[in-house]
Amino acid sequence: MKEAPATGRLKLKAQLFCGVEPALGPGKAMLLEAIVAEGSISAAGRALGMSYRRAWLLVDGMNRCFVDKLVETTAGGGRDRGAKVTEAGRVALAAYRTLEADMIAAAEAGPLAVLRAMLRECPEEHDVVPGQ
Amino acid sequence: MKEAPATGRLKLKAQLFCGVEPALGPGKAMLLEAIVAEGSISAAGRALGMSYRRAWLLVDGMNRCFVDKLVETTAGGGRDRGAKVTEAGRVALAAYRTLEADMIAAAEAGPLAVLRAMLRECPEEHDVVPGQ
């Protein structure tokens, strides 16, 4: 789902760290939502165009950073066993989405207007780019 | 200047767009600060470990997105001619830094505490990673 390009659009990437490890950010939040919708890590990964390995690593990363696991896999073997977002996962996901919304609201309330007023409708053409 | 890794650290990337083109973000803001300090695009690029071409493209991108240029190069030829951040550039840079600070403050005031309380001190060890 791409946003329509609009002048003055603000793109936010908020990443929460546990030590040096990214614990939760936009990609993991999307993955949690996809697991809620799809019911397994592999299906969630597919829905996001992500390899199983990549999705598994993101889930493992989240689970290792939080006191309570955010995702639980159900019994059974292999890639197709189910997974569900735990109560802790739902709380963390909701808090992350609120965090993003609060940050955007703070930007909208403040200096974003100054910047937007200074922007062109669309970029000018390139000058001649110097060679390397 | 790396921040010390601390649990619950929040990393923010705020990017302002002009159409589909990124007009101002963390990299361009750092480059503006380096041009103020160094007085030329090439020296600013060197200070940030960035090629001249890369620094030039970032400056060109900013200048094409804003009504008034953020950086002006002084007369003379080649890479070593001087550059300065214009009044518009200083206003945009200050507004961008305020924007970041306001967004971080909004996060600190709100749901970040919920997330931080859920985090471990440091990540657990990896489980066995599934093969590709």
Side-chain angles (χ1 to χ4, degrees):
Chain A
M1 206 174 64
K2 290 259 188 210
E3 283 169 79
T7 266
R9 182 168 57 97
L10 185 68
K11 192 172 156 191
L12 164 65
K13 180 178 180 182
Q15 270 187 307
L16 182 69
F17 282 78
C18 174
V20 294
E21 186 138 355
L24 191 56
K28 283 170 177 157
M30 274 203 321
L31 183 58
L32 287 175
E33 283 162 352
I35 293 169
V36 169
E38 304 287 340
S40 79
I41 295 173
S42 55
R46 269 196 305 278
L48 298 175
M50 199 181 274
S51 72
Y52 173 70
R53 184 183 157 84
R54 170 89 182 133
W56 188 94
L57 284 169
L58 291 175
V59 166
D60 183 59
M62 285 188 268
N63 280 348
R64 289 184 301 99
C65 285
F66 284 86
V67 174
D68 295 313
K69 285 188 176 193
L70 303 194
V71 175
E72 248 166 21
T73 47
T74 54
R79 302 187 172 196
D80 293 325
R81 65 181 179 175
K84 71 182 186 80
V85 174
T86 63
E87 180 55 27
R90 288 174 188 272
V91 170
L93 178 58
Y96 181 78
R97 291 304 188 202
T98 305
L99 185 86
E100 286 184 315
D102 287 0
M103 292 176 93
I104 293 285
E108 297 281 352
L112 191 51
V114 174
L115 288 167
R116 282 183 174 150
M118 295 174 70
L119 281 179
R120 291 178 184 276
E121 224 15 74
C122 49
E124 276 196 316
E125 292 301 303
H126 263 296
D127 270 1
V128 179
V129 179
Q132 180 33 45
Chain B
M1 206 175 62
K2 292 257 185 212
E3 281 169 78
T7 267
R9 183 168 57 98
L10 184 69
K11 192 173 155 187
L12 163 66
K13 180 178 179 182
Q15 270 187 307
L16 182 70
F17 281 77
C18 174
V20 293
E21 185 136 357
L24 192 55
K28 284 170 177 156
M30 273 204 321
L31 182 59
L32 287 176
E33 284 163 351
I35 292 170
V36 169
E38 303 286 340
S40 78
I41 295 172
S42 55
R46 267 196 305 276
L48 298 174
M50 197 182 274
S51 72
Y52 174 70
R53 184 184 158 83
R54 170 90 182 131
W56 189 93
L57 284 169
L58 291 176
V59 167
D60 183 59
M62 285 188 266
N63 280 348
R64 289 184 302 98
C65 286
F66 285 87
V67 174
D68 295 313
K69 286 189 173 187
L70 303 195
V71 175
E72 247 167 21
T73 47
T74 54
R79 303 188 168 193
D80 293 325
R81 64 182 179 174
K84 72 186 185 84
V85 174
T86 63
E87 181 54 30
R90 286 172 189 272
V91 171
L93 178 58
Y96 180 79
R97 291 303 187 202
T98 306
L99 185 85
E100 287 183 315
D102 288 0
M103 293 176 91
I104 293 285
E108 296 282 352
L112 191 51
V114 173
L115 288 166
R116 281 182 176 153
M118 296 173 71
L119 281 179
R120 290 179 184 276
E121 220 22 67
C122 49
E124 275 196 316
E125 292 301 302
H126 264 295
D127 269 1
V128 179
V129 178
Q132 184 40 30

